[in-house]
Amino acid sequence: MGSLLEWYEKLSDYFPEHEMKHPQQLKELIEENDYYHKEETDDYLMLYADFPSFVFIDYLLVTSNTRGKGMGTKILDRLKAKGKLIILEAEPVLPKDSDSERRLRFYYRNGFKKADLIRYVRRDEQDEPYTMHVLYWSPAGIPQAIVLEKMELACDEIHNFRSKRHYGRELVDLDEALKWKH
């Protein structure tokens, strides 16, 4: 639909800067990986990976003129119909960002749970740590150990895809970023 610059700009306007991947990395993910997809309409933009045993939502943006009208729920229901585990990342509620609380409430309303046994800390371009929540939805009860295993795969296959080329480092240090909380 839109050019790379157009849809990347939409994402950049909505998501925190430290969560944005390099536009060329996203372009390569879409063009060169069978499991990574971009869906774009006038109502929403979603980038996600459809792995054989789970779905990883990388970015989901419902346009402001459609927000609050059930579009996000329809998108999630369509993904749920695949009958697979769905995983995504969400920033904790940030005092300066009212969208962060609204996003979390949206996912909880749609049956997602916070993987409260998993600590997920990433590092931004300045090597500053920032915490993210791992949220998941499952058609059947699933142990968080499986969520952790799939999240590690998503980090390796999606976040770290050609990351050394685009950032000079891995975006997610798998030995450090995902840990069990004690």
Side-chain angles (χ1 to χ4, degrees), residues 29-41:
L29 271 165
I30 293 163
E31 292 176 352
E32 299 176 32
N33 284 292
D34 293 336
Y35 53 81
Y36 198 81
H37 308 283
K38 175 180 77 89
E39 289 184 13
E40 183 180 13
T41 71

Side-chain angles (χ1 to χ4, degrees), residues 26-63:
L26 286 172
K27 182 178 188 286
E28 291 169 11
L29 271 165
I30 293 163
E31 292 176 352
E32 299 176 32
N33 284 292
D34 293 336
Y35 53 81
Y36 198 81
H37 308 283
K38 175 180 77 89
E39 289 184 13
E40 183 180 13
T41 71
D42 291 337
D43 297 327
Y44 73 93
L45 173 59
M46 179 171 61
L47 292 126
Y48 69 102
D50 191 354
F51 292 101
S53 61
F54 73 105
V55 173
F56 175 73
I57 301 173
D58 204 5
Y59 300 98
L60 174 57
L61 167 63
V62 174
T63 57

Side-chain angles (χ1 to χ4, degrees), residues 37-100:
H37 308 283
K38 175 180 77 89
E39 289 184 13
E40 183 180 13
T41 71
D42 291 337
D43 297 327
Y44 73 93
L45 173 59
M46 179 171 61
L47 292 126
Y48 69 102
D50 191 354
F51 292 101
S53 61
F54 73 105
V55 173
F56 175 73
I57 301 173
D58 204 5
Y59 300 98
L60 174 57
L61 167 63
V62 174
T63 57
S64 56
N65 58 339
T66 310
R67 221 169 278 144
K69 298 179 180 165
M71 178 55 66
T73 297
K74 286 180 189 157
I75 295 164
L76 292 179
D77 286 347
R78 188 168 38 83
L79 292 176
K80 288 175 184 179
K82 294 176 179 279
K84 300 178 189 179
L85 171 68
I86 302 171
I87 301 175
L88 59 95
E89 305 166 354
E91 68 272 6
V93 174
L94 305 169
K96 294 178 244 161
D97 181 7
S98 61
D99 285 338
S100 62

Side-chain angles (χ1 to χ4, degrees), residues 151-163:
M151 188 65 198
E152 287 173 339
L153 178 65
C155 286
D156 195 39
E157 297 283 326
I158 305 299
H159 297 323
N160 289 342
F161 176 82
R162 296 193 182 152
S163 61

Side-chain angles (χ1 to χ4, degrees), residues 127-175:
D127 205 34
E128 291 296 317
Y130 66 95
T131 300
M132 296 289 282
H133 294 315
V134 175
L135 303 181
Y136 68 100
W137 175 89
S138 173
I142 192 163
Q144 288 189 33
I146 303 264
V147 174
L148 178 64
E149 174 189 306
K150 303 300 183 192
M151 188 65 198
E152 287 173 339
L153 178 65
C155 286
D156 195 39
E157 297 283 326
I158 305 299
H159 297 323
N160 289 342
F161 176 82
R162 296 193 182 152
S163 61
K164 287 186 179 167
R165 174 189 298 176
H166 298 292
Y167 312 96
R169 66 181 178 92
E170 289 194 330
L171 272 187
V172 179
D173 179 342
L174 293 175
D175 293 330

